[in-house]
Every structure is written in structure tokens, then in C-alpha cells.
Amino acid sequence: MRIEFRTGKHTDVTCDLMAVPVFEEEVKDAAALRELDRASRGVLKAALASGEFKTELHRTCLVHRPAGFKAGRLLLIGGGKRSDFVLARLREVAGAAVRAGRSAACGSVALLARGGHPLGEAARVCAEGALYGNYEPDDYKTRDWESREVDEFVFVSEGEARSREIQQGILRGIVIGNATNLARNLVNEPANILTPTRFAERALELGAEAGLEVQIIEQEEMEKLGMNTLLAVSRGSEQPPKLIVLRIKDQERKAGKGVPLYALVGKGVTFDSGGISIKPAEKMEEMKADMAGGAAVLGTMIALGQLRPHNRVIGLIPAVENLPSGRATKPGDVVKSFLGKTVEITNTDAEGRLIMADVLAYARSQGATHLVDIATLTGACVIALGWHNAGVMGTNQSMIDRLRKYCSVTGERLWQLPLDDEYRKILRSEIADIKNVGHRYGGAITAAKFLQEFVEDTPWVHIDIAGVDMDHEGRPFAAKGGTGFGVRTLVQLFVAPFRE
Ligand code: BES
Ligand code: ZN
Ligand code: ZN
């Protein structure tokens, strides 16, 4: 999709569909509506009066051949309360406009930027939302489905012509939007296609294009390094494990004493059957998405490779398949981790924490001073928070606060859960230093406590995305399936300069 901008009157933009957001407050204030209504030659007021159009967020009303418009169609789109119209909502409205365009067979869609945000940021989130809305997981459909792709999106600003700001915003939005869709597409890939090997190959291809150095650590090297909790998970599978390491080119020049190095670690289980502790058949197909944390890290690093962050950042993705077989790890097996601590694996379905433990410890051995991990780690997190918030825990409170604040811009909600010492006791093993599973209660927290054993004193944030990696319902601005959750939040963490 091409993304462009125009400044000037929205009625003069030539396109197939012109989307105009309308806010709840405006309906009650005749003066506020007057200008928009006049531009539409009374269509807006008529649509409101008839009850066909309401200003509720994402509601739409499509008008063909609107008088006074160069556009073929006018799409009125509800913006909700103007006072709640944060950048995250504007992104959704851009996505909803593009999806409405898709289903109305429109090749070009324009959006009138309203809401009073700084134009550069508005253009950025609109570009992100437009790309997000245009995405459809249809690679494996052999016939045309209901809608066609939108070829062109135009950001329209009637205010000051701040072209440089808008252009820069659009370029950033394209980078972040494409990186998010890349993560979504990886999550949607079936597990017979996206094996650990293919995941590593994709990282090599895409990383090279984006200015990253990509290293793959193979099984033999893992064995030498003693990554036995990681290897315990992949044992049952015919697919060899891969540890994908992503670095940003030329960034090492910034290295030196006291310069922080941030490591992003993403869980990359390309299929989680549970292993010998096998899962029930129902919904097991969803476990192809158990690499969503890894996809978020790859998407983030690909965006950062192009956006050149101020901080030093590396990405690590342990990619494995968790299957039962005659070679598979059995409940009760004991292994020695990369860090040296021994682990009794009482449940092979708690595999995410096993691969993450070794890689978090490995990241520290590579000089990481700050750790952020993102993983579809626990069903318990879905029970606690449902589908609309990821869980966040950790020992770096200032970073947690910062991540949570980004939500009004990114639209990715995070809710903090506690990490008190008492939860650690549940993981005491009779025969090893720790076991990988306690009881059901507080399962998202005990999983994080397990990881904490391997990050020790390094400042660390853990994001459990088990409930938010996939959209099960579909939204007006998004197709069902992978959400790419984490890409926007993690990119945001590094594009705004900061010091810890
Ligand atoms: N990948 C799952 C967690 C998950 C569940 C992600 C639902 C997305 C949706 C994880 O590996 C797992 O199986 N966790 C177990 C842990 C249990 C055995 C302690 C769980 O949550 O049931
Ligand atoms: Zn599992
Ligand atoms: Zn899993």
C-alpha cells in the first residue's frame, strides 16, 4: 500500500473513499458540526437525524457520490468522545476506514485527520493503522475472498501545512506498521510451515534487509554452552532448535563501560503440544501462535534496525517445537541450566519458562544490563486478565511504569501483577534447585518467579502475552488472528531517547 498525505480541503481530495471522523461532543454543539455538515451538503446531519449514523467509536455510514466531494464515496466514522480520542483511537479509526474501504472495493482511501494531535504523531499512527487494517491472513486462500486490498492511503490535514513533520511521521509509521504486520503474519503461519528452522531463515532474510546482523546458534553450540533447559524442550521433536540473535549494525561502536545494553527475549515455541504432559485436543491448533513473543522481538528489531535507536539493543529468540516422542523429556526429569541451577521438570507443558530461563541467562553472559522478555507464557494470565491486557511483572519498576504509560499511544494495554517472595516457595523441589511448575493458583506469577531465578539481580521486565497474542473476535480495524502485540510498545521504548 502506498501512503501519502495532502494538505488542504478534504472535499478536494480525489480518491475512492474519503473518511471523516465525527465526535460525540460535536453532535450536541451545532456550531461545531456546521462546517462539516456544510461540506457534505447536509448529508452529515441527515445521517445523524435518521439514526443510521452514530458517533460511537468505529461506527460507520457509507454515502455514495456525495455532492461537493471529489471522492467517490464519503465514509462517516464515529470517533467516540473527543476527550477520549488519544492517538491509539486515531490509529484504530484509520484502520477501520481502510477496512471499510476494503469491503467496499475501494482502491484508494483517504482520512481527514481530526482530533487535534500533533500532526507528525497523527500521521505516524494513521500510517500504522492503515497498514494494520489492510492486512488479511489470506496467503493460503486459493480464491479471492470477500474484499480487495486498498492500494493507496492518503492522510489529509486541513490545518497548517507541516509537510516535513507529516512526511517523517508517515515514514516511521510505515516502518512500525510493516513490522507489526510481519509479526502478525508469523503468528498466523501454520506450524508445518513456520518450523524453528524456517523462523531462523526468515530472521536471516528480513534482518539483512533491515540493517541487522543475524546469528543463529545451532543445537551443537547449545550443547557445548550447556543450554539444557532449552534443549530439554526440543528433545521430543524432529525439528532442531535454533537460537536467533539479532544485533543492530554499527551499534557496538557505542559500547563502553557504563553504557547499558538492553536485551529483548521472545518466546519462540513454533508449536506447543504440551509434550509428554500433552494438552487436550480442543483449541490445540491455537498453539501455533506460541511463538508470538519471538515474532514481536523480530518485528521490533526489524523496526529498530531502520529507526536507529539511541540505546544499545539486542534481540534473542529461542525457537523450538514442543512435542512428545520416545526421546522427549518426561515429567520428573532433572536438567542443569545454562546458569548452573538444576531444574526438575514436573510438567513438560511449562516449556516456555525453560527456554526463556536459559536465554535470559545467556543474554546476561553477553553483557546485557537490562532484560525485557515477552512470551505467551501462561494460561493463568489469560484467566486473570482475559483478552485485553497483557500481564507485566519485573524488578525494573521505572521501565514498567514507562511501558504502561505508552498505552494511550500504542493501544497495547499492560497490567502489573505482583512478584512477592512468597510465590517462590511454591517452586521448591525435593531433588533439584527448583521445579518448573507449582500449583494452579497465581500461575502467571509463579512462572515469572521461575524466570526471576535466572535473571538474578539484572533489572528485568517480563510481559506475558498469552491472552493478547491473537484476536479471536476480529475488530472493525483488524482481521482476526495474530495481533503483533508488543511491537509498538517495544519500539516506543527505544525510539524516544531515555536514560535509566
Ligand atoms: N503456551 C502455553 C500458555 C498459553 C495458554 C498461551 C493459552 C496461550 C494461550 C504454555 O506453554 C503452557 O502450556 N502453560 C501451562 C503451564 C502449566 C502447565 C503450569 C498452562 O498455562 O496451562
Ligand atoms: Zn506449554
Ligand atoms: Zn507454551
Side-chain angles (χ1 to χ4, degrees):
M1 182 168 49
R2 281 193 312 282
I3 302 185
E4 286 167 13
F5 75 93
R6 304 278 148 76
T7 50
K9 276 193 149 153
H10 71 287
T11 44
D12 291 339
V13 178
T14 309
C15 58
D16 294 327
L17 181 144
M18 167 56 71
V20 176
V22 186
F23 301 105
E24 199 178 303
E25 290 91 332
E26 293 178 313
V27 177
K28 295 169 203 142
D29 176 356
L33 260 198
R34 193 171 304 132
E35 211 178 315
L36 267 190
D37 188 53
R38 207 180 284 151
S40 74
R41 311 256 170 103
V43 162
L44 173 55
K45 274 193 181 159
L48 283 164
S50 69
E52 187 180 344
F53 177 58
K54 292 195 167 62
T55 55
E56 249 167 64
L57 191 61
H58 309 144
R59 274 282 285 249
T60 55
C61 174
L62 187 64
V63 182
H64 280 250
R65 304 185 63 181
F69 276 74
K70 292 218 172 116
R73 273 160 249 193
L74 165 65
L75 182 79
L76 300 172
I77 181 160
K81 278 205 174 74
R82 192 177 179 127
S83 52
D84 296 337
F85 199 67
V86 290
L87 284 164
R89 296 287 93 71
L90 176 60
R91 180 190 293 103
E92 292 175 6
V93 163
V98 166
R99 286 192 84 68
R102 275 191 76 117
S103 44
C106 293
S108 60
V109 170
L111 173 72
L112 173 61
R114 305 188 72 222
H117 306 107
L119 283 176
E121 282 294 274
R124 173 170 77 86
V125 300
C126 284
E128 289 173 17
L131 287 164
Y132 203 91
N134 209 23
Y135 173 81
E136 201 58 49
D138 55 7
D139 289 356
Y140 298 103
K141 299 214 192 242
T142 55
R143 63 188 172 97
D144 267 351
W145 225 236
E146 293 96 20
S147 63
R148 59 161 285 179
E149 257 184 56
V150 172
D151 306 314
E152 186 187 39
F153 176 78
V154 186
F155 175 88
V156 182
S157 159
E158 289 195 329
E160 278 175 87
R162 293 185 177 273
S163 309
R164 243 181 64 89
E165 237 171 271
I166 297 174
Q167 190 58 43
Q168 209 174 33
I170 288 178
L171 289 176
R172 287 190 155 209
I174 291 174
V175 168
I176 298 169
N178 282 334
T180 310
N181 284 349
L182 181 137
R184 296 170 77 192
N185 211 29
L186 290 171
V187 170
N188 290 330
E189 285 286 14
N192 61 328
I193 305 287
L194 196 82
T195 57
T197 300
R198 189 71 197 113
F199 199 169
E201 285 167 5
R202 295 281 287 155
L204 283 164
E205 289 158 22
L206 297 162
E209 287 165 22
L212 300 178
E213 271 165 27
V214 184
Q215 177 198 359
I216 308 297
I217 298 180
E218 305 286 346
Q219 178 162 344
E220 208 178 305
E221 180 73 17
M222 294 175 191
E223 283 163 2
K224 279 192 208 136
L225 288 165
M227 295 182 162
N228 296 315
T229 57
L230 192 170
L231 289 163
V233 176
S234 67
R235 277 189 70 82
S237 170
E238 298 284 320
Q239 296 291 338
K242 304 278 169 177
L243 173 55
I244 304 165
V245 184
L246 307 154
R247 295 186 174 84
I248 301 172
K249 278 192 188 137
D250 302 330
Q251 237 195 358
E252 286 315 299
R253 276 192 282 117
K254 293 183 190 163
K257 251 198 154 169
V259 181
L261 173 62
Y262 291 79
L264 307 178
V265 183
K267 172 177 172 182
V269 177
T270 58
F271 190 76
D272 181 13
S273 71
I276 296 293
S277 315
I278 199 160
K279 289 179 180 294
E282 201 188 331
K283 294 275 158 72
M284 202 204 270
E285 71 277 12
E286 291 185 358
M287 285 300 122
K288 70 173 186 178
D290 210 19
M291 33 55 70
V297 167
L298 180 57
T300 302
M301 292 301 291
I302 282 179
L304 292 179
Q306 297 162 82
L307 299 173
R308 317 300 302 174
H310 296 264
N311 300 88
R312 289 167 68 218
V313 193
I314 60 170
L316 300 105
I317 307 165
V320 301
E321 191 176 63
N322 187 21
L323 290 184
S325 81
R327 282 176 44 83
T329 294
K330 304 166 290 298
D333 287 0
V334 174
V335 294
K336 186 169 196 157
S337 69
F338 174 80
L339 188 66
K341 294 189 183 181
T342 55
V343 179
E344 183 190 5
I345 300 172
T346 56
N347 189 319
T348 63
D349 195 13
E351 84 298 340
R353 62 196 76 179
L354 295 174
I355 66 172
M356 299 296 276
D358 263 355
V359 176
L360 285 164
Y362 177 73
R364 290 168 59 215
S365 77
Q366 298 300 294
T369 58
H370 295 72
L371 299 167
V372 180
D373 82 75
I374 179 160
T376 47
L377 207 63
T378 66
C381 190
V382 194
I383 303 289
L385 300 174
W387 287 341
H388 306 294
N389 272 273
V392 61
M393 287 151 267
T395 53
N396 188 346
Q397 192 59 41
S398 69
M399 199 192 286
I400 293 175
D401 293 341
R402 195 140 31 82
L403 289 168
R404 292 201 57 214
K405 252 191 245 147
Y406 295 151
C407 157
S408 67
V409 178
T410 63
E412 296 180 332
R413 277 172 282 184
L414 302 168
W415 194 260
Q416 189 171 4
L417 300 173
L419 259 192
D420 305 293
D421 286 340
E422 285 81 351
Y423 296 97
R424 165 68 178 81
K425 287 198 200 105
I426 302 163
L427 296 173
R428 275 191 199 147
S429 162
E430 298 301 323
I431 69 160
D433 295 333
I434 191 168
K435 59 182 180 180
N436 75 328
V437 159
H439 52 61
R440 292 161 34 147
Y441 306 113
I445 300 169
T446 45
K449 283 315 262 188
F450 183 87
L451 297 182
Q452 194 178 0
E453 284 299 305
F454 299 86
V455 302
E456 296 184 311
D457 295 330
T458 306
W460 156 72
V461 176
H462 160 62
I463 306 173
D464 192 333
I465 55 168
V468 295
D469 60 323
M470 292 242 254
D471 183 336
H472 302 272
E473 300 164 310
R475 306 289 304 268
F477 53 87
K480 275 188 201 173
T483 58
F485 191 104
V487 174
R488 292 195 300 264
T489 300
L490 294 175
V491 169
Q492 185 80 20
L493 185 60
F494 296 108
V495 289
F498 65 87
R499 291 232 163 269
E500 270 297 305

